[in-house]
Amino acid sequence: MQNRGVIFAKRPDGAVTPDVFDCRDLPMPEAGPGDVLVRNIYLSCDPYMRGRFKADSNKAFTLGAVIPARVVAQVVTSNNPDFNTGDYVWGFMGWELYSLVPGGQRLRIIDPSLGPISHAITVLGMPGLTAHVGIMDIGKPAPGETCFVSAASGAVGQVAGQIAKLQGCRVIGSAGSAAKIAHITDTLGFDAAFNYKTAPSIAGALDEHCPNGIDIYFDNVGGETLEAVIDRINPRARIAVCGQISGYDSQTAEWGEPRNLEKITLAGAVKTRFSVYDHMDQYDAFVPRMAQWLKNGDVVYFEDIWDGIEKTSEAFIDMMTGGNLGKRLVRVGEDATI
Ligand SMILES: NC(=O)c1ccc[n+]([C@@H]2O[C@H](COP(=O)([O-])OP(=O)(O)OC[C@H]3O[C@@H](n4cnc5c(N)ncnc54)[C@H](OP(=O)(O)O)[C@@H]3O)[C@@H](O)[C@H]2O)c1
């Protein structure tokens, strides 16, 4: 058994480049008392990691260390009574082939009867719960309302739109390629979608697809799209600010705030920035609810999986620039459940 992983080699200055990462052989960790050694199967690539590449992040990644990430894995050695060899688990490990989990901390066992084990870090995990919180708790959808979702084919956006649809909303999505737009309407079941890169203007596309204004905006991108939405919100609209990926590579502080905020006040609307980490108390109730939606076919979920630890950094960069159709994962070990 040879360990190998991706080291955080350099803080990016603007867009993430391959030299930010260094994939190399690593020492094989050994499990001490209470520890769990796992072989990793699926590594997650998430936009929030971009923020942690910045030195001034309060959770900044450490230079020279393995990139931390959510991982689905299988227990190889357990010195912990809570875990058995062979258990499928998920937790906060890193972009590497083998991880040591000291004391089994924050490691959770996966129930494979709920669906593919990868779902534990996708639709049944953080991205799925994020979508649920943003639509249900902040969006507070009512039948007949118009809900707009940006980055609508991605890890979070695809779920957000489908949950809003289940609540009776008319749902519109935006994304950055023709293939994504076809997927959003034909497969995910949104009522309409537009390509924000090729539309003559985002404002014009919103006018065309949301003729009755916007009641709920699930914001994954910020920037120009957020400002165009604010110009079109209905009275008492709800804006769930989930993420603002259009600004993540920016080195300046002012990119985050739209310039037309006063329209929110005038509309009696609310704009709420939320973090899924403040809602983890919902996790245990969320998992069976979403698992049932998936089993019923009420929600469909797409993962975009690359293979090989060597491809992890490229897979991340590709996701940040829109190459993913669905949730980007990297498979680095055999998934014997499929
Ligand atoms: N609040 C929370 O707790 C929380 C939790 C999870 C995720 N998030 C946020 O949710 C958002 C979506 O995350 P995800 O994991 O679902 O990622 P994702 O949508 O699967 O992948 C990121 C997507 O962002 C789009 N994008 C990249 N640059 C863009 C730009 N300049 N303008 C518009 N779109 C751009 C790309 O799609 P296109 O082809 O459409 O450009 C890309 O596919 C991110 O902002 C993330 O930080 C927040």
Side-chain angles (χ1 to χ4, degrees):
M1 294 196 294
Q2 172 62 58
N3 198 11
R4 195 164 172 77
V6 180
I7 301 292
F8 184 32
K10 189 188 126 183
R11 296 199 190 281
D13 180 12
V16 180
T17 45
D19 59 345
V20 165
F21 309 102
D22 177 18
C23 186
R24 62 163 97 126
D25 285 347
L26 299 170
M28 192 65 198
E30 280 183 30
D35 295 345
V36 181
L37 177 69
V38 299
R39 75 169 181 92
N40 295 330
I41 301 172
Y42 295 105
L43 313 180
S44 188
C45 295
D46 294 283
Y48 77 85
M49 299 164 117
R50 176 65 186 88
R52 298 190 185 181
F53 294 166
K54 296 182 181 179
D56 59 0
S57 163
N58 60 357
K59 292 183 179 165
F61 288 167
T62 307
L63 283 169
V66 169
I67 300 275
R70 278 184 188 73
V71 173
V72 165
Q74 188 173 30
V75 175
V76 175
T77 307
S78 176
N79 296 333
N80 185 311
D82 293 337
F83 302 94
N84 295 313
T85 300
D87 280 349
Y88 290 102
V89 290
W90 74 270
F92 293 86
M93 282 81 97
W95 285 356
E96 59 187 348
L97 298 182
Y98 294 90
S99 295
L100 183 69
V101 187
Q105 233 183 358
R106 298 171 81 191
L107 203 58
R108 294 187 70 140
I109 293 176
I110 297 171
D111 174 1
S113 74
L114 293 180
I117 57 172
S118 55
H119 278 184
I121 55 171
T122 66
V123 63
L124 294 178
M126 185 277 281
L129 179 59
T130 302
H132 193 271
V133 167
I135 291 294
M136 298 304 289
D137 295 357
I138 298 171
K140 296 187 176 23
E145 288 191 319
T146 297
C147 173
F148 172 57
V149 181
S150 51
S153 66
V156 175
Q158 60 177 312
V159 188
Q162 290 182 79
I163 294 176
K165 193 81 191 135
L166 284 174
Q167 307 311 309
C169 292
R170 180 168 181 276
V171 181
I172 291 89
S174 66
S177 76
K180 288 184 179 183
I181 297 311
H183 177 76
I184 289 166
T185 51
D186 301 352
T187 310
L188 299 178
F190 286 36
D191 295 285
F194 66 88
N195 182 341
Y196 73 94
K197 289 182 179 165
T198 57
S201 74
I202 293 172
L206 288 173
D207 283 340
E208 179 188 342
H209 295 293
C210 308
N212 300 321
I214 296 165
D215 300 294
I216 300 166
Y217 176 39
F218 191 100
D219 180 19
N220 282 316
V221 305
E224 183 188 348
T225 306
L226 176 58
E227 288 186 348
V229 169
I230 290 172
D231 283 338
R232 286 157 183 81
I233 49 174
N234 288 331
R236 289 172 296 287
R238 287 81 64 200
I239 299 175
V241 181
C242 172
Q244 302 197 296
I245 195 167
S246 69
Y248 287 179
D249 289 336
S250 170
Q251 302 299 101
T252 59
E254 65 273 12
W255 60 266
E257 279 307 328
R259 291 164 295 183
N260 50 355
L261 272 179
E262 81 285 356
K263 293 196 174 160
I264 294 179
T265 312
L266 292 172
V270 287
K271 171 174 163 287
T272 307
R273 174 93 180 90
F274 74 101
S275 167
V276 68
Y277 301 108
D278 295 330
H279 302 270
M280 292 313 289
D281 57 328
Q282 296 189 28
Y283 176 77
D284 287 334
F286 161 76
V287 171
R289 184 175 204 202
M290 180 57 75
Q292 195 58 52
W293 277 339
L294 289 162
K295 282 212 163 89
N296 295 349
D298 294 331
V299 172
V300 293
Y301 196 75
F302 289 82
E303 295 169 345
D304 182 333
I305 303 176
W306 286 25
D307 280 293
I309 189 77
E310 309 291 335
K311 299 288 278 184
T312 309
S313 47
E314 192 186 334
F316 176 83
I317 293 169
D318 181 75
M319 178 275 297
M320 290 298 289
T321 50
N324 58 313
L325 183 65
K327 166 69 188 160
R328 174 57 50 82
L329 296 173
V330 180
R331 183 167 35 216
V332 296
E334 190 203 0
D335 177 355
T337 68
I338 52 174

